[in-house]
Amino acid sequence: MKVPLSWLREYVDLPAVTAHEVADKLTAAGLKLESISSHGHDVKNVVVGEVLEIEELTGFKKPIRHCKVETGEATPREIVCGATNFSAGDRVPVVLPGGVLPGGFEVGARKTYGRMSEGMICSERELGLGDEHGGIMVLPPDTPIGADVVELLGLRDEVIELEITPDIGYALSIRGVAREVATAFGVEFRDPAGIEPPAETGPSWPASIADPTACDRFVLREVRGFDPAAQSPLWMRVRLTRAGMRPVSLAVDITNYLMLELGQPLHAFDRGKLSGEIVVRRAVAGERLETLDHVVRELDPDDILITDQSGPISMAGTMGGLETEISGSSTDIVIEAAHFSATGISRESRRHGLVSEASKRFERGVDRELPLVASWRAVQLLAELGGATIQAGVTHAEVEVSPARIAIPAGYPSTVAGVDYSRDTVITRLEQVGCVVTAGNDPAVRKGGVDPTGVVTGGALAAKLAVTGDDMITVTPPSWRPDLTDPNDLAEEVIRLEGYESLPSVLPAAPAGAGLTEGQRLRRRVGRALAEGGYVEVLSYPFISPDDFDRLLLPAEDARRHAMRLANPLSEDEPLMRTTLLPGLLKTLVRNVGRGFSDVALFETGPVYRPREGAPEVAPVLGVERRPTAEELASIEAALPDQPLRVAVVLAGEFERSGWWGGGRAASWADAVQAARLVAGEARLELSISADQHEPWHPGRCAALYVGDTLVGHAGELHPRVIEAYGLPKRTAAMELEISRLEAAMPGPVQTPAVSAYPVATQDVALIVPDFTPVADVEAALRDGAGELLESIRLFDVYAGEQVGEGNKSLAYTMRFRAADRTLTVEETTAARDAAVAMAADRVGAQLRSA
């Protein structure tokens, strides 16, 4: 909503404040500021001139005129102009040499088309008054020569643009914003709707309401003898343009002007094109209507229509029909103003993809009391500006609607905000909004918490807060605030008008025993550990394509191919819920490499979605009229997939960067395995690692990750065909591990180990084993053989060459021994080492390597 400050000042006695100060007050009151724009402040030296003579210049491809213009100076100005819509004697805006037009465009004297041009005669667009560029702007003949055009036309103005949320539809009008500004500054508000239309003397054009759920008030007034050639006055065109609407014609401009000013959409029908009684009803299946945008629309039975004997003539509250449109020859006009169902108009607008200025207001709620006032203002302006004659009588079809009433304790806003508001403050603020407040709990509002009209009230609050009848107030919201339907709505009005900035910032006290669960802490530790290890976290969409299964080389019977399909996917290319984290990570890796980042290490944690055996394909859809039963909740639960939490990493390029310090190290399968060890370490678990074949990994460079006998994931280098399918860098490595299984295997609370005060004894051992022997098997054998004295074991060298024989490799370990109660002797550590070597020889055929 664009609000010119000059328009606001017409209804609010603002002090000498800027648009920024007004915007600050509105923001403090809860309205969201979009922007503030300034108009006309850079325009200078533009005056009213009278065209004395016009000489038509020939020999050019377009009409060129040399004009003498009286501007109130000693001698007339000579100006060259290409427009032809003005004549000698017309008064026009003239920019004198040295003058400036909107946008900083400076005008000087120069020779053009063989003549001297001392200035410029302006169009409306050149003055920043709109997009009209059909010719020069011709002023009324009594406009004083030499007058400052900026002051004369009110070009200097500031426009505040507000973003109007669905709950404050009243602010889609100058009237609504002006009321907020008046309250914010504590000044008088003059209501533009505060007029009394003449008493109804009889009906105008016949009309009725066939569906009370679609419309509860419908008003028609008539004018005759309207001059279709009459132009909208300049002040109206300027205001419409500043407010973001394009001037069209006088009749249309009047309806748009009043919609912006009052918030009540209006529609003008050509009386000569109407036939029979007008009826507001729902559409009938098969009906069609060609709207003003020349689109023939198939109507839905839920659409709200305005009809006559010929059928539909307008989509109510959204767009009029082409057949009854006001044309350039319309002299007799019927003005319609109504109050339509907000939900009905909202659904109609979205159903047809047709969002208009009228539908924006109706779907947010329009003042039900405005149709009589707005229609009277419209016919008055048609008579005043277009020479029409107002016909006696008004058609007023109405469905009786009881006003909403809400009973609340006077201290309820204080309870909500945690700030003490006095009873008088609460009542004053509610009255400023426009509410009628009466003391006590109105007998018409039942104690049960619902009034006779079905509106939820605060009666139940009184019982809950043990409030006596003397502390209760009954509030009747104004007709322009249909959003006030609940005690919390009223509390919010008091709080926002008192100022959100006055609310204290108090951190809630954390209840004892609460906090993160062990699983939540594990997930955070995993993320921190991987980030510290050089990985960057990414968040991918949990959707994948069926083609991803083929690119990952998954076998036809692989459980990961059994994925849940979305009923309404964001993209038809990715209609499935992910069963693995790898596709999203691999696509992110490709995107980063394609943008020049060749060394990438990424990780992601998140759930995967694995359908349960025997689960229904589609979850049941339950109604909202009652709470679901235990059986219904169980049926929904049964349709949900398992959602285990996983972590995955992908690596490409250098894992250790090269630089002036020397060469780096390329990422490999070993880094992916180490990432898995890092994750398991945060769960205080040791991984057992063995060779495996599992898609999408390279069959000879894939490791299965176990905790005890439980498979928790895989790591290694990706298969070359997977790398080719996704366009990945060569030798890309990846790891995927299920955190949920780690969490289930986590030991209990950490027990502080006893720290031995005795020295450590170190023994190195080098073993020769067949080159296909897993290092993890050798280490496990050494641990088991060394016994309780072994404190730690570390592999520090791997060698393959002539000295160990073909088909063999040498593994060198450092073994640290320590006892808790004594200093170990050389004999004890040697015996423990020999026992470890013997166990390795027995299990994996290891031989002690000689020097």
Side-chain angles (χ1 to χ4, degrees), residues 4 30 32 71-72 139 313 333 385 401 467 470 582 652 689 741 785 829 833 846:
K32 184 181 177 182
T71 59
L139 301 171
I313 59 174
I333 297 173
L385 303 176
V401 176
V467 177
D470 293 339
L582 291 179
I689 299 170
R741 294 183 182 178
T829 56
R833 183 202 64 182

Side-chain angles (χ1 to χ4, degrees), residues 761-818:
T762 303
Q763 292 274 359
D764 289 346
V765 60
L767 302 176
I768 300 174
V769 296
D771 57 9
F772 57 79
T773 305
V775 173
D777 292 350
V778 178
E779 181 178 321
L782 291 173
R783 284 184 179 277
D784 292 343
E788 295 180 354
L789 295 180
L790 181 66
E791 183 179 78
S792 67
I793 182 172
R794 181 176 67 88
L795 176 69
F796 68 86
D797 183 57
V798 178
Y799 170 75
E802 294 181 0
Q803 297 182 18
V804 297
E806 185 177 354
N808 295 326
K809 62 183 175 182
S810 171
L811 305 176
Y813 293 90
T814 294
M815 305 176 71
R816 291 164 55 92
F817 298 93
R818 194 193 312 256

Side-chain angles (χ1 to χ4, degrees), residues 387-453:
T389 301
I390 302 174
Q391 300 300 297
V394 56
T395 298
H396 182 195
E398 181 181 16
V399 176
E400 189 64 31
V401 176
S402 300
R405 285 171 295 173
I406 308 170
I408 65 169
Y412 186 63
S414 301
T415 303
V416 173
V419 176
D420 187 22
Y421 300 126
S422 68
R423 180 186 178 91
D424 289 342
T425 297
V426 171
I427 293 175
T428 299
R429 289 304 190 183
L430 292 176
E431 288 177 342
Q432 285 178 334
V433 173
C435 297
V436 176
V437 183
T438 56
N441 194 357
D442 193 320
V445 182
R446 297 204 309 269
K447 192 70 173 179
V450 180
D451 78 357
T453 65

